[in-house]
């Protein structure tokens, strides 16, 4: 599977070089710098979507909690939200 992915990536490099589009040619250097990570993202079914979701929810709480005078209470609100989010409990 990894071999197929690598071959596909090399075919993409060749197509971009043949196209002559300067912007795409620049993308090849970026892809080559990150080639190992790109190939791993296709080969393995792993992603950071869950962590990104937690970060987004924390930022929403932060926006809504503007005006908290005590950081420790804000911190507890964030921690409690993430601890109990699957239990459908609302913490005010």
């Amino acid at each position: 599977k990894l071999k197929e992915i690598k071959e596909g990536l090399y075919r993409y490099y060749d197509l971009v070089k043949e196209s002559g589009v300067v912007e795409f040619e620049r993308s090849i250097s970026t892809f080559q710098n990150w080639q190992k990570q790109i190939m791993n993202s296709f080969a393995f079914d792993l992603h950071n979507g869950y962590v990104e979701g937690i970060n987004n929810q924390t930022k929403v709480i932060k926006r809504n909690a503007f005006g908290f005078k005590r950081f420790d209470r804000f911190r507890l609100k964030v921690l409690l939200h993430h601890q109990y989010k699957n239990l459908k409990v609302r913490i005010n």
Side-chain angles (χ1 to χ4, degrees), residues 3-60:
K3 186 177 179 182
E4 294 172 16
I5 296 167
K6 197 174 204 176
E7 290 172 358
L9 195 56
Y10 288 148
R11 280 194 306 267
Y12 173 74
Y13 294 160
D14 293 337
L15 285 172
V16 169
K17 289 176 185 175
E18 291 173 7
S19 73
V21 179
V22 178
E23 291 81 7
F24 280 152
E25 288 178 9
R26 195 167 156 223
S27 73
I28 289 177
S29 65
T30 302
F31 278 17
Q32 288 173 338
N33 289 339
W34 292 93
Q35 183 169 322
K36 181 180 176 184
Q37 291 82 359
I38 291 170
M39 288 176 32
N40 285 339
S41 73
F42 287 107
F44 304 104
D45 191 25
L46 300 173
H47 55 85
N48 64 345
Y50 180 76
V51 174
E52 291 294 330
I54 289 175
N55 288 341
N56 186 40
Q57 288 178 346
T58 303
K59 288 178 182 180
V60 169

Side-chain angles (χ1 to χ4, degrees), residues 58-70 73-74 77-78:
T58 303
K59 288 178 182 180
V60 169
I61 293 171
K62 182 179 172 184
R63 278 196 303 271
N64 291 335
F66 184 74
F68 271 170
K69 292 180 175 22
R70 293 179 50 182
R73 289 194 180 176
F74 167 70
K77 183 174 179 79
V78 170

Side-chain angles (χ1 to χ4, degrees), residues 68-83:
F68 271 170
K69 292 180 175 22
R70 293 179 50 182
F71 176 77
D72 60 335
R73 289 194 180 176
F74 167 70
R75 182 177 178 272
L76 283 174
K77 183 174 179 79
V78 170
L79 292 174
L80 285 171
H81 171 78
H82 292 303
Q83 182 179 0

